[in-house]
Amino acid sequence: MSILHFLKRFARESAKLKAETIEGDDIYLEHTDAKMVRGDRIIIGPGCNIDFVEYHTSLQQDEKAIVKEKRKRS
């Protein structure tokens, strides 16, 4: 099997990060399933399915992303 054939089997659209909790200051996610994302500046990109987002300064959400609940903390 060629390396190109192998890599095509794991195309970007089919790969997903799965996590319980993601925390950080600046967070950018694509193709991610997570229960909780917590941070200062968060961008939720396409292909994401997030149960809960807690942010401090800003939250941007792609129109194709799903965020079930979001809260701005002070």
Side-chain angles (χ1 to χ4, degrees):
M1 172 185 330
S2 73
I3 189 72
L4 184 58
H5 178 72
F6 179 77
L7 292 174
K8 283 183 181 179
R9 289 179 54 201
F10 297 99
R12 184 178 186 142
E13 290 80 26
S14 65
K16 265 207 166 186
L17 170 67
K18 296 183 188 258
E20 290 287 321
T21 304
I22 299 171
E23 295 187 31
D25 292 327
D26 295 301
I27 299 172
Y28 176 81
L29 299 173
E30 286 185 0
H31 307 287
T32 301
D33 291 345
K35 290 192 178 186
M36 177 179 290
V37 176
R38 193 182 293 147
D40 189 26
R41 293 168 296 278
I42 301 174
I43 300 172
I44 306 295
C48 289
N49 188 348
I50 312 295
D51 288 345
F52 181 76
V53 173
E54 184 179 79
Y55 66 99
H56 182 68
T57 302
S58 65
L59 170 64
Q60 293 178 301
Q61 179 181 337
D62 184 90
E63 62 187 28
K64 295 179 183 171
I66 297 169
V67 175
K68 294 177 184 166
E69 186 179 348
K70 42 194 150 190
R71 176 175 47 204
K72 181 172 183 168
R73 63 174 198 227
S74 34

